[in-house]
């Protein structure tokens, strides 16, 4: 194989690598370096090839540039034609085909619409949203007796109400002794579900007094903290812990770096949150109303530019958009085993 053919093969390989990374890679923040490196190598080899065989230098270079330009022009056209090409709009289109109702409003739009009608509504909560804030205490639940927007996975925005400790329960559950405590993340909490359809609600309908201590976005250590703060206080006969391998190992690796959760591995550590709900409400009401509700979830110019660079809209039309990988290849099994034993 002569030098010319070798350079052409390398160029074709670099083109393949470039297209593979921007279409298949799950974490673009980590692949950006490789994309830039491939482009630089392509330019260097293209110059070398042009110097070696002058006859092909313009034709080959212009052909490649033309192909890439066509991809980006197509993506730009699609983004202009489908300016709201996000997950909500895609689901709405599918719902329309199935002749199902679908509320396309964002969380903020739903909350604002209810506010205009005199109905105070807030989004569902997760401790990881406020862990970085320097509060006097760190809440692990939500605002008590609050109207909460549970989510819209079915096409309908579900509204629930928290109990006196900020969890997804009716207050009537505390009139009797707790038989079962349920601990977990959004699956247990019942995101996008009416209370009767949650695990706790189904048990409650069967005359089993089940306490729902599930909180969205939490992992094993946060759930252990909730267990110590709330479940132990109510002394349930049984505790059901819902663990999902799809993301809970990853959450464990993240939460072990948080000092608050590290403290809960100490048998004596507690914030006594169950006696501090008024303080929790004051902290979270201020945080939600002053910060969270002001966030605009619409795509910014930079988001749109990044999507264009990644050919997101074009790839979506051909169903080759990457899926996020929530699993971890290196779970801290020793830590997992240690706190399970507790």
């Amino acid at each position: 194989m002569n030098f010319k053919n070798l350079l052409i093969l390398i160029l074709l390989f670099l083109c393949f690598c470039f297209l593979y990374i921007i279409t298949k890679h799950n974490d673009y923040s980590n692949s950006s370096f490789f994309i830039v490196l491939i482009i630089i190598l392509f330019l260097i080899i293209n110059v070398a090839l042009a110097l070696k065989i002058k006859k092909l230098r313009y034709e080959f270079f212009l052909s490649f540039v033309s192909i890439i330009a066509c991809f980006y022009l197509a993506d730009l056209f699609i983004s202009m034609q489908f300016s709201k090409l996000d997950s909500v709009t895609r689901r709405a289109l599918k719902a329309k085909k199935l002749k199902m109702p679908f509320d396309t409003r964002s969380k903020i739009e739903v909350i604002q619409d209810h506010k205009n009608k005199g109905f105070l509504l807030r989004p569902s909560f997760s401790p990881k949203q406020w862990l970085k804030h320097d509060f006097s205490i760190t809440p692990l639940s939500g605002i008590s007796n609050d109207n909460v927007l549970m989510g819209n996975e079915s096409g309908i925005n579900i509204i629930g109400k928290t109990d006196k400790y900020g969890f997804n329960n009716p207050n009537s559950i505390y009139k009797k002794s707790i038989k079962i405590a349920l601990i977990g993340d959004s699956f247990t909490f019942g995101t996008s579900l009416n209370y009767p359809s949650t695990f706790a609600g189904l048990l409650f309908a069967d005359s089993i007094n089940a306490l729902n201590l599930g909180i969205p976005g939490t992992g094993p250590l946060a759930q252990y903290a909730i267990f110590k703060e709330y479940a132990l206080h109510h002394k349930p006969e049984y505790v059901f812990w819902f663990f999902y391998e799809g993301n809970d190992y990853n959450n464990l690796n993240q939460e072990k770096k948080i000092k608050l959760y590290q403290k809960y591995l100490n048998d004596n550590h507690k914030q006594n949150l169950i006696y501090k709900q008024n303080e929790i409400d004051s902290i979270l009401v201020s945080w939600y109303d002053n910060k969270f509700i002001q966030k605009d979830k619409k795509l910014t110019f930079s988001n749109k530019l990044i999507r264009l660079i990644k050919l997101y809209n074009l790839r979506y039309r051909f169903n080759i958009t990457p899926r996020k990988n929530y699993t971890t290849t290196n779970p801290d099994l020793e830590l997992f085993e240690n706190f399970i034993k507790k």
Side-chain angles (χ1 to χ4, degrees), residues 108-146:
I108 292 178
E109 289 172 336
V110 173
I111 291 171
Q112 189 60 48
D113 287 346
H114 281 81
K115 184 178 180 180
N116 294 339
K117 297 175 183 178
F119 184 81
L120 183 60
L121 182 65
R122 295 188 179 90
S124 57
F125 42 80
S126 177
K128 66 181 181 182
Q129 294 173 286
W130 54 74
L131 279 174
K132 294 182 180 179
H133 294 272
D134 188 21
F135 297 143
S136 56
I137 58 173
T138 303
L140 297 174
S141 63
I143 300 168
S144 65
N145 303 307
D146 198 32

Side-chain angles (χ1 to χ4, degrees), residues 275-319:
Y275 302 112
K276 300 177 181 179
Q277 192 59 45
N278 288 337
E279 188 176 353
I280 292 172
D281 288 349
S282 177
I283 289 171
L284 295 186
V285 165
S286 176
W287 182 81
Y288 275 129
D289 294 348
N290 295 332
K291 295 187 178 181
F292 186 88
I293 199 63
Q294 295 174 5
K295 293 182 180 179
D296 190 349
K297 299 298 184 181
K298 294 180 180 178
L299 290 175
T300 63
F301 174 76
S302 60
N303 295 140
K304 292 180 180 179
L305 181 60
I306 291 172
R307 284 191 171 198
L308 176 63
I309 293 172
K310 297 175 181 177
L311 297 175
Y312 174 85
N313 299 295
L314 181 64
R315 291 184 292 111
Y316 171 73
R317 302 301 294 177
F318 289 96
N319 197 30

